[in-house]
Structure formats: C-alpha cells, structure tokens
Amino acid sequence: MTVKKKETVLKGIPAAPGVVTGKAFLYGREQYTISRRNIREDQIQNEIKRFKEALLQTKNEIVDIKKRISEELGVEHGQIFSAHLLVIDDTMLTEEVVAKLKKEKLAVEYIFQDVLRRYIKVFSEMDDEYLKERISDINDVGRRILKNLIGAKEDILSNLKEKVIVIAYDLSPSDTATMHKKNVKGFATDIGGRTSHTAIMAKSLEIPAVVGLEVLTKKVETGDTVIIDGNHGIVIISPSPRTLKRYEEEREKFIAFEKHLLEQKGLPCVTLDGRKIELASNIEVPEDVPSVLAHGAEGIGLYRTEYFFMNRKDLPTEEEQFRAYSSVAKKIKPHAVIVRTLDIGGDKFLSQLDVPQQMNPFLGWRAIRFCLARPDIFKAQMRAILRASAHGKIRMMYPMISGLAELQQANALLEDAKKELKKEGLPFDENMEVGAMIEVPSAAVTSDILAREADFFSIGTNDLIQYSLAVDRVNEKIAYLYEPAHPAVLRLIKSVIENGHKAGIWVGMCGEMAGDISMTAILLGLGLDEFSTSPIAAPEIKRIIRALTMTQARAIAEEAMTLLTGKDVQAFASRKLKEIVPDMADEIE
Ligand code: PEP
Ligand code: MG
C-alpha cells in the first residue's frame, strides 16, 4: 500500500515567472546510479565482452573527436585526446577490472566504477604534478566508458516522453539548452541564484522555475505531484486538493494579467513627456526571435552566442555562425541585433574545448580573456558577425572588458577581420557599431576612458553586481546579499551612464536588473537609454516607462541615491512602483 505524502512547501528563489502543476521527474540521479548486482559464473565471459565493447565504442568516439578537433583547431589541440586514448589503452586498468570481475562476480559497471575511483584516489595522492593532472583525463574517459556500459543517454532532457516538471540538484546552462519546452512544464533546483544562466534560460523558454531550494531533491520523488510558483519562488510537493485549487486560480489570474499586458505590446515605448526609450530583448538562440516579436520589443539588446557553441561535439564554423546571425538580423530588421561575442567560462562550459577546471571560474579564463587567447575562434566569430551585418542592422559587443587594453586588442583583431573580408570581396557594414559590456567594476570606474574606444555601452548587471558586491551569482546561500538596489551598484551605474553620455555614446543595460520592475523608474531617472530584458519582461517594463515622466523618474532616482542601504532603496523603489502602476504592483506581490 502506498502512503499518501504530506503536503510540503519549500521556499526558494524565483527564477522565471508563472505557475504550473505537474508530475515530478528527478533528473541527474538516475543517470549513473550503478547498483551492486551479482552475476553467475557463466555470465562472466559476457560481462567481459560487454566491457571490451564499451572500451571500443569509447575509443571510436574519442578518435572521432580527436580527428574533428585536429581538422578544425589544429593538430596540437587534437593531441589533448591522445592522453584520453592512453587511458583506454592502459592494460593495467583493463586487467584489473577483468581480474576483479572474475573474483567478485559483480556486474562489470560496478567493478569498473570501483576500480576507477581507486585509480583517481591513488593519482590524487601522488606528488607528481604531471600525474595529478591526468586525473581529469581519467575522469572524462571513465565517465564515457560508464555511459557506454550502461547505455545511458546523455540527452535525457530532450527526449522526455511526457510532460513533466524537472527537479534537479543543479542544471547546467547546457542542460537547460537541451530542454524541450513541449515536455518540460517547469523546473526547480536545489542550488542556483536568480541570475544564473540556468534561471535566465528558464525565462527565455517561458517556463516557470524556482532555484535555490536547497533540500528539494531530498523531498521529491519521480511521479510526485508538484506545483511550481515561479512568481514567488515556491514549490509545493504533494499539494492538498485545496492548495491545488488555489494555485489553479492563481495560474488563471496570472495568465489573464499577462494577456492584458500583451494587448498593449504595439504601443510605443515613450515616457509621458515624450522621451523615447529603446526596449529590446535578450535572446539565447535564434528560435527565441518569435517571442521577442510577440512581446513587443523593438530589437535585440543581447544575443548570447555561446549557446550556439553548446551541446555539440565540434565548434561551429564561420559559415554556420554567419547563417545563424544573419537569420536573426533579417527577422529583426529594421531594428538592431546586438551580437555578443563568445562568453564562455563562469557557469557556461563547452565540452569540446579543453578549458582546464578553475578554482574561480567567474574570475578566471572567461569571455574576452578566452577569446583574446584564441584568436582563431574569436576571428572566425567576428568574421561571421561582420558578414551578417550586410543582411540587417547588427551591432557587436565584447563581454567582460576590464580595461582599455582588452578593448583595443579586440578592436585590432576586428580590423584584421575587416581587412580580410575586404580582400576576399565579402560584404559587411563598415559602420557596424561596436560596444563594450560594462560588467566588471574596473570597467565601470574607467568608463570615461573606455568610452573613447566604444560606440556604446551595455551594462551587464548580472556580473557587475556579483563582482562589485563579491557575491557569487549562482550561490543560493548568499543570495540575500545579491542586491541590485545596493548603493554601490547604483553609484557604478550612474557613473557609467554619465561617462557614456559625456563622451556622446548611448548606454543600455542587458543584465536582469533591466527587467526588474521595481528598478525601472530609478534606471530611467539615471538616464538609461536602452533596456534589454527577457522577452516576457518587456511588456511590464514598457508599461512602467509609459506611466512616468522624465521629471518624475529623475526625482525618484535622486531620492534613491540618498538612501544608505540596499534594503532601504528596495523598499523605497517598491513603494514608488505601487504609486506608478498600482494594479501591476498588486499582481506581482
Ligand atoms: C550580465 O552579466 O549582466 C550579462 C548580461 O551577461 P551574462 O548574464 O551572460 O553573464
Ligand atoms: Mg555577464
């Protein structure tokens, strides 16, 4: 007899709005859970055969990757996989597995996992740095062998057979990129923060999501009924009929509210006293474009190109990139698309690139730092962006600029790319605007200097907040310190806008703060020229901008700048929001 579970309410961090009810699917745990299974004497040979087949399959996969990487990136990069092949060819490892299998009579995947763990332990205790570095090779190859042994599919999320709510300890941005909106109704995770790329992806998929629930995966089992309330960051496990009814009403109310906002999507984004504000959207993949248009944004203020590089075995060619960027540009015409050059690192990884594990990935080899070290990849992307600029209005921007030298180096490479294209007779927009993201405090502080070499700025508050307040944007434990309204953040933003305007360039914002309705009046009052938000946030932001005069907004910003703490600013901003758009503030509460 199954015992009915008690209703459990968990509070986390709202990641993407909306309310949904459905069956839970626990992702991540099932993948490589290997049970200890006894085998009979007469099954031993078959287990050995399975093991050899898995080794061969893994070897073929690696040879394949090595070949492709060598062709596309050069032989030296392909060599990385030679180390992987050495692990497979290590007879000591295979002999040990076979001997143990015969002796202990347990399923080969169990034995293999056991031997693998022991190898890793022994290597990690060695003094030899070279051998220590081999741990990641052993790990990678071991995972692959295990996957092939148990026939696990790595793309579980794209192959779900029914509509579910995905529950996981964590989801990487590449996991979320493989999710199919058709079968994923919503998701919730133990860890993560409001501006993690996983949360941002949920908004772009337009599915309700809650992150940072800490103990969620310990409480939920696959098949449990769960409610995700992405507006308030709540997850309810095994809700009572009464709760289910209440949330159904809540869901209907929210849908009606969204519909009402959408009815105004065709209205211009101007303040009551006639100042035109650019309202753009952020996209992750070209498939997001219809949503941008459906929500009434007038262009794309941030196209995160790294998703195009994810979940594939090779790197996209210049030609493929050109096709993707130009297709977006054509669909958004006559409005502009700001294509951001590759921003990998931090919480976004590419399996096909050999980027070593880093102690502090957000402070490490990321974004422009990676691109400047890999001009082959960077230049191919810039060539593709430039070529696409002949097919629509394209602007380009660099992520994570920390000072003038990086901006100059990147621009020098861009000039090389332009020269090459001219020589080859390939068309591009010679006046394509090139901007810098301002998301590192040093860039904000020296924005007067950077403005000399940039056509525009786009403030990346997701990173600017984490770097200026020293608060990891994906860590739920310190999420309470992640305050867009912190006076330090507001001062940095104010000075970036002022410095940009002094130099005669426009200043936009593409971090999540641009879509935070409580901050709109302050940002408008500080003089922000462009707001780029997730498509679903665009109607709300437009509604607020249309309800304010610049005089009101400036007064609100001025008062906010006199307050002493983030909490005070937040409370003040929420109060003002209620005055500006009372119905909307009620709905969001
Ligand atoms: C930001 O940091 O605010 C930003 C827009 O870039 P990303 O979220 O991709 O780091
Ligand atoms: Mg960023």
Side-chain angles (χ1 to χ4, degrees), residues 197 302 304 340 343 348 362 366-367 399-400 437 439 460-464 466-467 473 510-511:
H197 284 98
L302 166 64
R304 289 185 169 95
R340 178 177 72 182
D343 178 7
K348 286 174 290 194
F362 274 113
R366 183 190 165 192
M400 225 192 154
M437 281 193 73
E439 49 183 350
T461 49
N462 305 338
D463 281 312
L464 187 63
Q466 81 161 342
Y467 294 138
R473 65 194 262 191
C510 60

